[in-house]
Amino acid sequence: RGTAETPRFEAGNFAIRSAPMELKSESLRLILGLKLRQFRLDQAWGLKDVSSRTGLSVSYLSEIEKGRKYPKPEKLIKIAQGLGLTYEELVSPRVEENLHLVRDLFASPFLQEFPFHLFGIEAEQVAALVTEAPSKAGALLRTFLEIGRSYDVQVEHFLFAALRSYQAMERNYFPEIERAAENFLAENGWADRRGLEADDLRRVLEERHGYRIESSLLESYSELSDLRSVLVDGDRPVLLINKHLRPPQRAFALARELGYRALGHTVRSKTSGYLRVESFDQVINDFEAAYFSGAVLLPKSLLVDDLNAFFAAKTWDAEAFVGFLERYRTTPETFFYRLSQLLPAVFGFEQAFFARFSHDAALGVERFDLTKLLNMSGLPIPLNIQPGERYCRRWPGLWLLDEPTRAVASSENSGFKVAAAAQRGRFKDFETEHLTFSLTRPLSIAKTKGTSVSVSFRIDGALREKVAFWNDPAIPERDVGVTCERCSFVDCEERAADPTQIRSEANREKRMRALRTLVAQVRSGS
């Protein structure tokens, strides 16, 4: 990871094409193995038969069929002669019509870019499963492709989903990056320092890495006004920073840039937001640089001490909670995401989820978009819901956006007008209760937009032991759902839409009962 040789692709729909495409060496290996195995099976030959005809060992031929070996030309000639094929017929990427979809899968960005290795799987193992029954696999692939076309599934959707799954698998905690951040802080004499300033980080980039930081040029391009930063490579790199960023946001952008340097990542995004996804290396390297930034701005040892003191209080203190932003000079999102990293790993809080909602008052509608989700809770909280569905307004992150004056505490000392709240939520149809913390603030770049971030943890033995105020009467208790359309609460003042999904399911079940009754009547002869 992090090398300039990383495969690249244009972000686009995951519809595999039938037209000729450029094939990389790995794809050529897989296709050769597919053709060799299919030809052998068509002739009803075993590997021993092919071995006797080519003079190559059974084990070597097996490695070729699995896509692990690509023979040198002299061995390819032996194989072609032994099979009664021409050299061109053997090595050409052309395949029989019923294998086109399998061939194109091998050449597709999905197979080339999906990080199977993170989950203990190699791409060759996936290929081996496909080549076991290529004709049937073709039909299966055709089904997936139709789903992809229908829902406009893009390759980057798979890559981001893989990243989220990897984070959840690792509980969103990565010791190597933690150590890199600790080493960076120690090298600069900041190990015991809370609230790093943007200027401190800027000096390291300029003096140690030769950067030039520029804060006036980016806004002259209206199409890029929503970007927080842009890197221009060169002998002396130039980092363009949006001048409208508040100091904590500027510090995060600079610390993330230092993260790329500290972690040695050269394959990366050059902008703060994705204009183009080119590889999984890019996606995970961007994530790791952002993780490094949070670990530098909110050092583990200091934050854990402060959280222990905060959780030891007998009552929920919203002002003290907002005070974390002031003490560490950080944004609500960076702080909450850091909690999603440290509280499960260090404090043992389980079933965590992090969510970010946005709301644009300029649209004049009650629309709340879930723009970021890391779900490690097992609860059915979808990142993408059916068009028009409304998330449950009982979540504190939503009612804070809708009516921030309901918050227990607010503050502007950190450079943001921030409102905070806590809630104990009982998820309907799931025998679980979660303690949720939420903060909301306006965005500094888009003046009409607001955003809320929430982090939630299941109330279990570990949480009750660590958080003395978990049952503070001042923290409201509420029954919550996922979306209004899927919620069966009858008396809900916050309901923003009718329970159409519930009604549809109830109607379907009613018809099924009627059908069972009809069948029973016919069978009984009555």
Short mmCIF file of all heavy atoms in Angstrom, two decimals, residues 190 193 195-206 213 215 239 241 245-255 258 297 328-329:
data_model
loop_
_atom_site.label_atom_id
_atom_site.label_comp_id
_atom_site.label_asym_id
_atom_site.label_seq_id
_atom_site.Cartn_x
_atom_site.Cartn_y
_atom_site.Cartn_z
N TRP A 190 5.42 17.65 22.18
CA TRP A 190 4.01 17.96 22.42
C TRP A 190 3.27 16.82 23.12
O TRP A 190 2.04 16.80 23.15
CB TRP A 190 3.30 18.25 21.09
CG TRP A 190 3.82 19.45 20.36
CD1 TRP A 190 4.44 20.53 20.90
CD2 TRP A 190 3.77 19.68 18.94
NE1 TRP A 190 4.78 21.43 19.92
CE2 TRP A 190 4.38 20.93 18.70
CE3 TRP A 190 3.27 18.96 17.86
CZ2 TRP A 190 4.50 21.47 17.43
CZ3 TRP A 190 3.38 19.50 16.60
CH2 TRP A 190 3.99 20.74 16.38
N ARG A 193 0.69 17.97 25.67
CA ARG A 193 0.03 19.22 25.30
C ARG A 193 -1.36 18.98 24.74
O ARG A 193 -1.55 18.19 23.82
CB ARG A 193 0.88 19.97 24.28
CG ARG A 193 0.30 21.31 23.89
CD ARG A 193 1.28 22.08 23.05
NE ARG A 193 0.65 23.24 22.44
CZ ARG A 193 1.28 24.06 21.60
NH1 ARG A 193 2.54 23.83 21.30
NH2 ARG A 193 0.65 25.08 21.08
N GLY A 195 -4.67 20.76 22.87
CA GLY A 195 -5.05 21.92 22.08
C GLY A 195 -3.96 22.47 21.20
O GLY A 195 -3.60 23.65 21.28
N LEU A 196 -3.41 21.64 20.32
CA LEU A 196 -2.40 22.12 19.38
C LEU A 196 -2.99 23.20 18.49
O LEU A 196 -4.13 23.12 18.04
CB LEU A 196 -1.89 20.97 18.52
CG LEU A 196 -0.90 20.00 19.15
CD1 LEU A 196 -0.57 18.88 18.16
CD2 LEU A 196 0.38 20.73 19.55
N GLU A 197 -2.20 24.21 18.19
CA GLU A 197 -2.61 25.30 17.32
C GLU A 197 -2.28 24.96 15.87
O GLU A 197 -1.31 24.25 15.59
CB GLU A 197 -1.93 26.60 17.72
CG GLU A 197 -2.22 27.07 19.13
CD GLU A 197 -3.57 27.76 19.24
OE1 GLU A 197 -4.26 27.87 18.21
OE2 GLU A 197 -3.94 28.16 20.36
N ALA A 198 -3.07 25.50 14.97
CA ALA A 198 -2.79 25.30 13.55
C ALA A 198 -1.41 25.82 13.17
O ALA A 198 -0.71 25.22 12.35
CB ALA A 198 -3.87 25.98 12.71
N ASP A 199 -0.99 26.91 13.78
CA ASP A 199 0.32 27.48 13.45
C ASP A 199 1.46 26.54 13.83
O ASP A 199 2.50 26.50 13.15
CB ASP A 199 0.51 28.83 14.16
CG ASP A 199 -0.30 29.94 13.49
OD1 ASP A 199 -0.73 29.75 12.35
OD2 ASP A 199 -0.47 31.00 14.13
N ASP A 200 1.30 25.78 14.93
CA ASP A 200 2.33 24.80 15.31
C ASP A 200 2.51 23.76 14.21
O ASP A 200 3.65 23.43 13.83
CB ASP A 200 1.93 24.10 16.61
CG ASP A 200 1.83 25.06 17.79
OD1 ASP A 200 2.64 25.99 17.85
OD2 ASP A 200 0.93 24.86 18.63
N LEU A 201 1.41 23.26 13.70
CA LEU A 201 1.45 22.24 12.66
C LEU A 201 1.94 22.82 11.34
O LEU A 201 2.67 22.16 10.59
CB LEU A 201 0.06 21.62 12.50
CG LEU A 201 -0.50 20.97 13.78
CD1 LEU A 201 -2.00 20.74 13.65
CD2 LEU A 201 0.22 19.67 14.08
N ARG A 202 1.54 24.04 11.05
CA ARG A 202 1.99 24.69 9.82
C ARG A 202 3.51 24.82 9.79
O ARG A 202 4.14 24.56 8.76
CB ARG A 202 1.35 26.07 9.70
CG ARG A 202 1.82 26.88 8.49
CD ARG A 202 1.20 28.25 8.45
NE ARG A 202 1.46 29.00 9.68
CZ ARG A 202 2.60 29.61 9.97
NH1 ARG A 202 3.62 29.56 9.10
NH2 ARG A 202 2.76 30.26 11.10
N ARG A 203 4.09 25.19 10.92
CA ARG A 203 5.55 25.35 10.96
C ARG A 203 6.28 24.04 10.67
O ARG A 203 7.32 24.02 9.99
CB ARG A 203 5.99 25.91 12.32
CG ARG A 203 5.80 27.41 12.45
CD ARG A 203 6.51 27.94 13.68
NE ARG A 203 5.86 27.48 14.90
CZ ARG A 203 4.86 28.13 15.50
NH1 ARG A 203 4.40 29.25 14.97
NH2 ARG A 203 4.34 27.68 16.62
N VAL A 204 5.73 22.90 11.16
CA VAL A 204 6.37 21.61 10.88
C VAL A 204 6.32 21.31 9.38
O VAL A 204 7.30 20.86 8.79
CB VAL A 204 5.68 20.49 11.69
CG1 VAL A 204 6.28 19.14 11.33
CG2 VAL A 204 5.83 20.75 13.19
N LEU A 205 5.18 21.56 8.77
CA LEU A 205 5.06 21.32 7.32
C LEU A 205 6.02 22.21 6.54
O LEU A 205 6.66 21.76 5.58
CB LEU A 205 3.62 21.58 6.87
CG LEU A 205 2.62 20.45 7.07
CD1 LEU A 205 1.20 20.93 6.76
CD2 LEU A 205 2.96 19.24 6.21
N GLU A 206 6.13 23.46 6.93
CA GLU A 206 6.97 24.40 6.18
C GLU A 206 8.46 24.14 6.43
O GLU A 206 9.25 24.08 5.48
CB GLU A 206 6.61 25.82 6.59
CG GLU A 206 5.24 26.27 6.10
CD GLU A 206 4.87 27.65 6.59
OE1 GLU A 206 5.43 28.10 7.63
OE2 GLU A 206 4.00 28.29 5.95
N ILE A 213 2.12 27.07 2.45
CA ILE A 213 0.71 27.08 2.79
C ILE A 213 0.08 28.36 2.23
O ILE A 213 0.59 29.46 2.48
CB ILE A 213 0.49 27.01 4.32
CG1 ILE A 213 1.35 25.89 4.93
CG2 ILE A 213 -0.99 26.82 4.63
CD1 ILE A 213 1.03 24.52 4.43
N SER A 215 -3.64 30.51 1.52
CA SER A 215 -5.02 30.56 2.01
C SER A 215 -5.92 31.53 1.27
O SER A 215 -7.02 31.81 1.74
CB SER A 215 -5.02 30.94 3.51
OG SER A 215 -4.29 30.02 4.26
N LEU A 239 0.08 23.60 -0.24
CA LEU A 239 -1.19 23.18 0.35
C LEU A 239 -2.11 24.40 0.39
O LEU A 239 -1.84 25.37 1.10
CB LEU A 239 -1.00 22.62 1.76
CG LEU A 239 -2.26 22.03 2.42
CD1 LEU A 239 -2.77 20.82 1.64
CD2 LEU A 239 -1.99 21.65 3.88
N ILE A 241 -5.42 26.09 1.47
CA ILE A 241 -6.38 25.95 2.57
C ILE A 241 -7.52 26.93 2.35
O ILE A 241 -7.28 28.10 2.04
CB ILE A 241 -5.72 26.22 3.93
CG1 ILE A 241 -4.59 25.21 4.19
CG2 ILE A 241 -6.74 26.17 5.05
CD1 ILE A 241 -5.04 23.83 4.54
N LEU A 245 -12.13 28.34 6.79
CA LEU A 245 -12.04 27.33 7.85
C LEU A 245 -11.77 27.99 9.20
O LEU A 245 -10.98 28.93 9.30
CB LEU A 245 -10.93 26.33 7.54
CG LEU A 245 -11.08 25.43 6.32
CD1 LEU A 245 -9.95 24.42 6.28
CD2 LEU A 245 -12.42 24.71 6.32
N ARG A 246 -12.42 27.46 10.22
CA ARG A 246 -12.13 27.90 11.57
C ARG A 246 -10.83 27.25 12.04
O ARG A 246 -10.39 26.23 11.48
CB ARG A 246 -13.30 27.56 12.49
CG ARG A 246 -14.60 28.28 12.10
CD ARG A 246 -15.69 27.96 13.10
NE ARG A 246 -16.95 28.56 12.70
CZ ARG A 246 -17.34 29.80 12.99
NH1 ARG A 246 -16.53 30.58 13.68
NH2 ARG A 246 -18.52 30.26 12.60
N PRO A 247 -10.21 27.80 13.07
CA PRO A 247 -8.91 27.27 13.53
C PRO A 247 -8.90 25.76 13.77
O PRO A 247 -7.94 25.09 13.36
CB PRO A 247 -8.64 28.07 14.81
CG PRO A 247 -9.31 29.38 14.56
CD PRO A 247 -10.56 29.04 13.79
N PRO A 248 -9.92 25.16 14.42
CA PRO A 248 -9.87 23.70 14.61
C PRO A 248 -9.91 22.92 13.29
O PRO A 248 -9.26 21.88 13.17
CB PRO A 248 -11.11 23.41 15.46
CG PRO A 248 -11.44 24.69 16.13
CD PRO A 248 -11.07 25.75 15.14
N GLN A 249 -10.67 23.41 12.32
CA GLN A 249 -10.72 22.74 11.02
C GLN A 249 -9.40 22.87 10.28
O GLN A 249 -8.94 21.93 9.62
CB GLN A 249 -11.86 23.34 10.18
CG GLN A 249 -13.24 23.10 10.77
CD GLN A 249 -14.30 23.91 10.06
OE1 GLN A 249 -14.12 25.09 9.77
NE2 GLN A 249 -15.42 23.29 9.75
N ARG A 250 -8.80 24.04 10.39
CA ARG A 250 -7.49 24.25 9.77
C ARG A 250 -6.45 23.32 10.40
O ARG A 250 -5.62 22.73 9.69
CB ARG A 250 -7.08 25.71 9.94
CG ARG A 250 -5.73 26.08 9.31
CD ARG A 250 -5.42 27.53 9.60
NE ARG A 250 -6.36 28.41 8.92
CZ ARG A 250 -6.11 28.97 7.75
NH1 ARG A 250 -4.96 28.75 7.14
NH2 ARG A 250 -7.00 29.75 7.18
N ALA A 251 -6.49 23.18 11.71
CA ALA A 251 -5.54 22.30 12.40
C ALA A 251 -5.71 20.87 11.93
O ALA A 251 -4.72 20.14 11.72
CB ALA A 251 -5.72 22.41 13.91
N PHE A 252 -6.97 20.42 11.76
CA PHE A 252 -7.20 19.05 11.30
C PHE A 252 -6.62 18.84 9.91
O PHE A 252 -5.99 17.82 9.64
CB PHE A 252 -8.70 18.74 11.29
CG PHE A 252 -9.02 17.32 10.91
CD1 PHE A 252 -9.05 16.32 11.86
CD2 PHE A 252 -9.24 16.97 9.58
CE1 PHE A 252 -9.32 15.00 11.51
CE2 PHE A 252 -9.51 15.66 9.22
CZ PHE A 252 -9.55 14.67 10.19
N ALA A 253 -6.82 19.80 8.99
CA ALA A 253 -6.31 19.67 7.62
C ALA A 253 -4.79 19.59 7.62
O ALA A 253 -4.19 18.80 6.87
CB ALA A 253 -6.79 20.84 6.77
N LEU A 254 -4.14 20.39 8.44
CA LEU A 254 -2.68 20.38 8.50
C LEU A 254 -2.16 19.10 9.14
O LEU A 254 -1.17 18.51 8.67
CB LEU A 254 -2.19 21.60 9.28
CG LEU A 254 -2.49 22.96 8.64
CD1 LEU A 254 -2.20 24.09 9.63
CD2 LEU A 254 -1.66 23.16 7.37
N ALA A 255 -2.83 18.64 10.19
CA ALA A 255 -2.40 17.39 10.85
C ALA A 255 -2.59 16.20 9.93
O ALA A 255 -1.79 15.27 9.93
CB ALA A 255 -3.16 17.20 12.15
N LEU A 258 0.26 16.09 7.57
CA LEU A 258 1.41 15.51 8.26
C LEU A 258 1.26 14.01 8.41
O LEU A 258 2.24 13.27 8.43
CB LEU A 258 1.57 16.17 9.64
CG LEU A 258 2.11 17.61 9.61
CD1 LEU A 258 1.86 18.31 10.94
CD2 LEU A 258 3.61 17.60 9.27
N LEU A 297 -4.36 15.47 17.44
CA LEU A 297 -5.09 16.57 18.05
C LEU A 297 -5.73 16.18 19.37
O LEU A 297 -5.95 17.03 20.24
CB LEU A 297 -6.16 17.08 17.09
CG LEU A 297 -5.62 17.66 15.77
CD1 LEU A 297 -6.77 17.99 14.84
CD2 LEU A 297 -4.77 18.89 16.03
N TYR A 328 -9.34 20.92 23.87
CA TYR A 328 -8.51 20.35 22.83
C TYR A 328 -8.55 21.15 21.53
O TYR A 328 -7.92 20.75 20.54
CB TYR A 328 -8.94 18.90 22.55
CG TYR A 328 -8.54 17.95 23.66
CD1 TYR A 328 -9.39 17.71 24.74
CD2 TYR A 328 -7.29 17.32 23.66
CE1 TYR A 328 -9.02 16.86 25.76
CE2 TYR A 328 -6.91 16.46 24.67
CZ TYR A 328 -7.79 16.24 25.73
OH TYR A 328 -7.41 15.38 26.75
N ARG A 329 -9.31 22.25 21.51
CA ARG A 329 -9.43 23.11 20.33
C ARG A 329 -9.75 22.28 19.08
O ARG A 329 -9.05 22.33 18.08
CB ARG A 329 -8.15 23.92 20.11
CG ARG A 329 -7.85 24.92 21.21
CD ARG A 329 -6.69 25.84 20.82
NE ARG A 329 -6.42 26.81 21.86
CZ ARG A 329 -5.53 26.66 22.82
NH1 ARG A 329 -4.81 25.55 22.87
NH2 ARG A 329 -5.33 27.60 23.72
#
